[in-house]
Amino acid sequence: MTDSALLAGPSLRRLRKREGLTQAAMAASLGISPSYLNLIERNQRPLSARVLVQVIERFDFDPRELREDEAIGGIDGLARRMSDKRFSDLGIDREEVQEFLAAAPQAAAAFARLYDNSQPDTGRSEDPVDLARQEVERWQNHFADLDHAAEELADELRLSQSDISAALSDRLREKHRLTLRILPSDVMPGLVTRLDLHARQLQLSEMLPGAARRFQIARQVGSLEQREAIETLVAGANLASPEAREKFREHVTDYVAAALLMPYRRFLRACEQTGYDLPVLQRRFSVSFDQLAQRLTTLQRVGERGLPFFNARFGRTGRMTHYTAGASGAVYPLVGARWPAWVPYASFESRGTMLMQAVTFGEGEAAPKHWFTITRTVEVDGAACSARRAVVLGVEARFAGELAQSRGISLDPDDAVPLGVGCPRCGRPDCLTPAPPRLAARIEL
């Protein structure tokens, strides 16, 4: 039998100190030399399977302690925390993270605990939307179990080979005894969808366009068939606020609907074959632009990763109403940011037209990142009036050469539009964006 290589020096050292033994005494008990034990404790030699068995038998050692780093997500979990913008000037790479975790796992766990319970100087947000967003970011907006389940259901229903609405409606009727009914807008004032369990109906407003109808039907199917998995995720989020839990539940349920309409493997293959051509993907999967944009932030399946997009939405006043970082690493100042040079603010004058722009921004980073962004206005689903919002997709410019929409756009960093940071953290008196009154007064002083 070959010995397996396992670096477990800190765990063995803590065990020895807990037993009150010298290295010589423990080495004698294990049948190895003191010098060999010294090398094991310093992670210069692996803990072989033979020695591990001796440790377990002689000291009643629980081998699960060797995987103590799992509590903080291992190297990936620690690397994610180290990538925080507050540490960006330190240049910590993955190799250093790995060395830190191997040499001092308890210290790494202490750092992770302190990091997880710390907040920026602005204090911990109590806003339910913000709390739910933080939980989504913790998962990088990828819920693997839900994706696999949705993919299996899409294959079972043969959604790629039939009328999607009909297939999903049949599923509702045959498995859940729910019929679909389209109602006049005056019968459902202020509502786009309603589940009437007394009448056993999923009721949709006539104001919903086709893509939105399909999404709502998929959402209902997903919420019924993945209820246990959704509730497990919500419970595991440990969100104290009922409102935050509901916001997170809504996000995860929307995630299932998108995964049904755009099954992961088939969707990723289409993205790669078309160069992420957004209009083509919209037509191929019968989805709206905003549904497509949000789905593109989820492509982080192990071994089958797509490009790491972020997605943001703006109202007509310029206020951000939604933000998903995905795996992009983008840090957007959610409060007080006004960048008039960025195309989302001009997109309302170009209704329904895709606008591409290369920009640089990044808050608290040694060097702002170079991004390629795509913006398009969309109509708000089910709105009785002409309500619009701007939907933004962004990806690091170093990946953008693969995109159909980047053709003809310079990806040279020198040609990118610098956006800077949000107003509350900037304070430049020569900025084109009017600063908030409190900040302006402070500048004048």
Side-chain angles (χ1 to χ4, degrees):
M1 182 180 73
T2 59
D3 291 348
S4 59
L6 176 65
L7 296 177
S11 297
L12 198 60
R13 183 169 58 249
R14 283 196 304 276
L15 172 64
R16 178 173 61 78
K17 291 182 176 180
R18 189 173 68 217
E19 296 292 326
L21 298 174
T22 63
Q23 282 188 340
M26 178 174 242
S29 178
L30 297 175
I32 60 177
S33 68
S35 61
Y36 182 45
L37 178 59
N38 180 267
L39 291 173
I40 292 176
E41 288 191 1
R42 287 189 291 153
N43 273 349
Q44 294 182 1
R45 291 290 186 277
L47 180 64
S48 66
R50 183 185 64 80
V51 175
L52 176 59
V53 169
Q54 294 290 326
V55 172
I56 294 171
E57 290 180 350
R58 296 183 183 278
F59 298 102
D60 192 26
F61 179 71
D62 186 349
R64 288 176 296 181
E65 292 185 24
L66 298 175
R67 302 304 307 158
E68 56 197 358
D69 61 319
E70 289 182 351
I72 62 174
I75 294 172
D76 288 338
L78 191 59
R80 176 178 59 80
R81 295 173 176 91
M82 289 292 192
S83 66
D84 188 286
K85 59 183 179 180
R86 289 171 286 181
F87 312 135
S88 60
D89 62 315
L90 301 177
I92 301 172
D93 59 22
R94 189 176 180 84
E95 186 175 345
E96 287 185 273
V97 173
Q98 188 171 4
E99 291 174 357
F100 179 33
L101 188 58
Q106 292 294 87
F111 164 78
R113 186 178 302 173
L114 182 63
Y115 177 90
D116 291 346
N117 289 282
S118 69
Q119 292 292 327
D121 295 338
T122 52
R124 181 173 176 82
S125 171
E126 296 299 331
D127 177 59
V129 175
D130 194 39
L131 292 173
R133 180 184 58 79
Q134 290 174 21
E135 183 63 17
V136 173
E137 289 187 357
R138 187 173 74 84
W139 286 88
Q140 292 191 334
N141 199 32
H142 179 70
F143 304 94
D145 291 344
L146 295 181
D147 247 317
H148 283 291
E151 196 166 27
E152 290 175 3
L153 180 56
D155 288 343
E156 179 185 343
L157 299 180
R158 298 183 178 181
L159 295 187
S160 63
Q161 302 176 14
S162 61
D163 181 87
I164 296 174
S165 295
L168 291 171
S169 299
D170 289 345
R171 183 73 170 194
L172 277 179
R173 185 182 67 256
E174 294 169 3
K175 184 168 183 177
H176 304 288
R177 296 185 298 111
L178 288 170
T179 58
L180 179 67
R181 188 175 181 188
I182 310 299
L183 295 177
S185 59
D186 56 354
V187 177
M188 299 177 63
L191 295 175
V192 295
T193 180
R194 178 170 58 199
L195 180 62
D196 188 337
L197 291 176
H198 178 73
R200 303 300 302 174
Q201 290 179 348
L202 173 62
Q203 301 170 349
L204 301 180
S205 169
E206 65 180 350
M207 299 302 295
L208 282 177
R213 287 187 186 182
R214 285 185 288 273
F215 188 87
Q216 289 299 331
I217 302 170
R219 194 179 192 278
Q220 189 61 61
V221 171
S223 67
L224 289 170
E225 306 211 4
Q226 293 299 313
R227 178 177 298 167
E228 183 176 350
I230 291 171
E231 291 306 317
T232 298
L233 280 170
V234 173
N238 292 321
L239 295 168
S241 161
E243 294 82 3
R245 288 196 296 273
E246 183 56 31
K247 291 295 182 183
F248 184 57
R249 182 181 291 108
E250 289 176 2
H251 178 92
V252 174
T253 306
D254 286 346
Y255 186 102
V256 176
L260 260 178
L261 296 175
M262 295 167 273
Y264 193 100
R265 188 170 285 112
R266 186 159 60 89
F267 180 67
L268 178 60
R269 185 165 60 248
C271 288
E272 293 173 343
Q273 290 173 347
T274 65
Y276 290 79
D277 192 314
L278 304 183
V280 172
L281 293 171
Q282 271 188 261
R283 289 192 295 271
R284 189 169 296 185
F285 291 92
S286 302
V287 294
S288 64
F289 185 83
D290 46 348
Q291 292 166 7
L292 174 64
Q294 184 65 5
R295 181 57 168 159
L296 285 169
T297 68
T298 70
L299 303 180
Q300 288 103 57
R301 178 178 288 179
V302 176
E304 296 178 278
R305 298 185 189 276
L307 294 183
F309 286 93
F310 71 82
N311 173 222
R313 298 174 196 161
F314 293 85
R316 186 66 181 87
T317 62
R319 183 177 69 88
M320 180 182 284
T321 59
H322 171 88
Y323 178 68
T324 304
S328 68
V331 179
Y332 187 91
L334 297 177
V335 179
R338 292 294 186 272
W339 292 336
W342 199 20
V343 293
Y345 297 100
S347 62
F348 291 93
E349 308 305 321
S350 303
R351 178 178 176 180
T353 301
M354 279 197 297
L355 304 175
M356 280 65 74
Q357 185 183 39
V359 297
T360 57
F361 72 79
E363 192 175 347
E365 300 178 34
K369 287 185 178 179
H370 183 201
W371 304 94
F372 177 73
T373 62
I374 305 169
T375 304
R376 207 198 101 174
T377 58
V378 299
E379 306 301 315
V380 177
D381 290 340
C385 57
S386 181
R388 291 195 297 276
R389 59 190 173 202
V391 176
V392 184
L393 265 175
V395 68
E396 279 195 68
R398 62 193 173 107
F399 301 124
E402 302 179 31
L403 303 182
Q405 272 70 47
S406 70
R407 294 165 191 158
I409 306 295
S410 172
L411 297 178
D412 187 332
D414 293 336
D415 295 331
V417 177
L419 298 182
V421 300
C423 298
R425 300 165 183 82
C426 176
R428 285 181 2 214
D430 59 341
C431 181
L432 296 176
T433 304
R438 266 188 317 181
L439 181 59
R442 192 160 62 242
I443 293 172
E444 291 173 359
L445 291 176

